[in-house]
Amino acid sequence: MNRHAIDAGPREMDLSRFDPLPRVMFYDDFNQGMSGWTVLTGNYTGSLRNMHPGYRQFTPPMLSNLTQWDGGTHGGLSGSYALKLATRPDVGAQTVSLKRLTFPRACTMQVEAYLTFKPEATELELSDRDVRSFGFVLDIQTKQHRVLPQIRYLNAIDGALANKWQYKPRTTVFNDVGDRTVTLYHYGEENWVDIPGGYQTLCYNEIPTKINWHYFRLGFDIRTLRYTELQCNDLVLDLSGLEMLKFDAMPNLNNLFNVIPFVETDSRKRAFLYFDSILLSGDW
């Protein structure tokens, strides 16, 4: 789909709030259903007990109409439903979702979304320090390399506000879980680095049942294995000089391209990450 050839129907009007590259890979409006988003199950061989404990905590995504105890049903940015990621209620608990793809051509890919984040509203308090972070991972493999570009918005840590964007440039250790299977838990707290110019205070309304939607955009060039840009609302950051997790190519993963959002809690409340819609586009 070309951005200059959009008709004026309702679905195309929704697309006009994005800024896609010339080829739209997918556009998921969660009023239409789950659209292939699923839980990330960690690698294992023979038994689920062999799974890395980090992956065991992950919960499946769900469709939500954002019902609040004080105000009733909120709904999405446009329509009744959003995709919801919810952590477990433990300090540092994380969850992710993903959509499993392959890329048809090495090019610049760009993911855009309208999202919001909140802790579970279990107290009559602001609770703006209860969500630790949210972010995105792109899991990509070319003929030579597998790369994991990974960024997050660190909202708060250990009860203190941080309000900054970070990236993860260094590798972590692979663990064997069978004769031919390895696992890598790269979502932990280690090795995060601040993105230059990445301080940003996001809108967080006065009570924990109020939400405001945010625009998000992240680009990556598969040809050069470099980030392009990160945008959240009116903040635009050039990421082209940043490093990322990078390994030799693995068997059976040719042209891998997975899109993986995640969220983490900093308190004993569940952290929620909602998506009204997500769009992936490319430039070939």
Side-chain angles (χ1 to χ4, degrees), residues 38-54:
T38 187
V39 65
L40 175 54
T41 302
N43 289 342
Y44 62 91
T45 300
S47 170
L48 289 171
R49 295 185 181 90
N50 293 331
M51 192 187 303
H52 187 287

Side-chain angles (χ1 to χ4, degrees), residues 27-275:
Y27 168 55
D28 292 341
D29 173 351
F30 295 106
N31 292 299
Q32 310 301 317
M34 295 288 291
S35 299
W37 292 89
T38 187
V39 65
L40 175 54
T41 302
N43 289 342
Y44 62 91
T45 300
S47 170
L48 289 171
R49 295 185 181 90
N50 293 331
M51 192 187 303
H52 187 287
Y55 290 99
R56 293 179 199 165
Q57 67 179 319
F58 292 168
T59 58
M62 65 196 81
L63 293 178
S64 172
N65 58 13
L66 284 73
T67 296
Q68 312 291 356
W69 61 266
D70 56 352
T73 299
H74 186 287
L77 175 63
S78 56
S80 297
Y81 292 96
L83 188 73
K84 176 182 177 181
L85 281 63
T87 70
R88 299 182 188 275
D90 298 309
V91 176
Q94 300 171 306
T95 198
V96 312
S97 182
L98 82 164
K99 189 160 185 169
R100 300 182 186 277
L101 303 168
T102 54
F103 62 84
R105 186 175 300 180
C107 65
T108 298
M109 291 287 199
Q110 177 178 277
V111 60
E112 298 175 84
Y114 279 86
L115 59 84
T116 191
F117 63 99
K118 277 289 180 178
E120 189 168 20
T122 58
E123 296 180 300
L124 302 179
E125 302 290 345
L126 179 62
S127 302
D128 58 339
R129 293 167 169 81
D130 288 333
V131 176
R132 179 173 292 178
S133 71
F134 69 87
F136 268 87
V137 180
L138 301 177
D139 189 358
I140 304 167
Q141 180 160 308
T142 65
K143 290 181 173 62
Q144 291 79 33
H145 297 104
R146 185 175 179 184
V147 293
L148 292 163
Q150 183 166 340
I151 62 95
R152 74 171 180 177
Y153 179 74
L154 181 63
N155 177 65
I157 189 162
D158 298 329
L161 288 173
N163 303 126
K164 58 186 178 180
W165 290 95
Q166 297 183 313
Y167 72 107
K168 184 168 283 195
R170 292 185 291 279
T171 61
T172 53
V173 177
F174 281 91
N175 303 113
D176 292 328
V177 289
D179 293 339
R180 300 175 57 195
T181 305
V182 296
T183 191
L184 173 70
Y185 192 77
H186 52 88
Y187 297 94
E189 198 53 50
E190 72 285 343
N191 298 333
W192 286 103
V193 178
D194 295 350
I195 296 175
Y199 180 82
Q200 184 180 26
T201 303
L202 295 181
C203 180
Y204 186 94
N205 223 314
E206 292 89 347
I207 60 175
T209 57
K210 292 183 178 180
I211 67 165
N212 290 80
W213 296 98
H214 304 274
Y215 172 73
F216 173 89
R217 177 174 63 89
L218 176 65
F220 188 83
D221 192 334
I222 301 171
R223 294 161 296 199
T224 60
L225 298 182
R226 309 298 293 179
Y227 294 97
T228 56
E229 284 187 335
L230 166 67
Q231 179 177 357
C232 184
N233 294 339
D234 57 349
L235 177 69
V236 180
L237 299 172
D238 179 358
L239 306 187
S240 59
L242 303 186
E243 299 299 325
M244 72 212 66
L245 306 186
K246 186 175 182 181
F247 323 101
D248 292 336
M250 296 179 173
N252 308 319
L253 295 178
N254 296 336
N255 291 58
L256 179 75
F257 193 95
N258 291 339
V259 182
I260 313 173
F262 63 90
V263 63
E264 180 178 19
T265 183
D266 200 54
S267 71
R268 295 195 177 276
K269 300 176 187 175
R270 295 191 296 166
F272 299 153
L273 177 62
Y274 297 98
F275 290 95

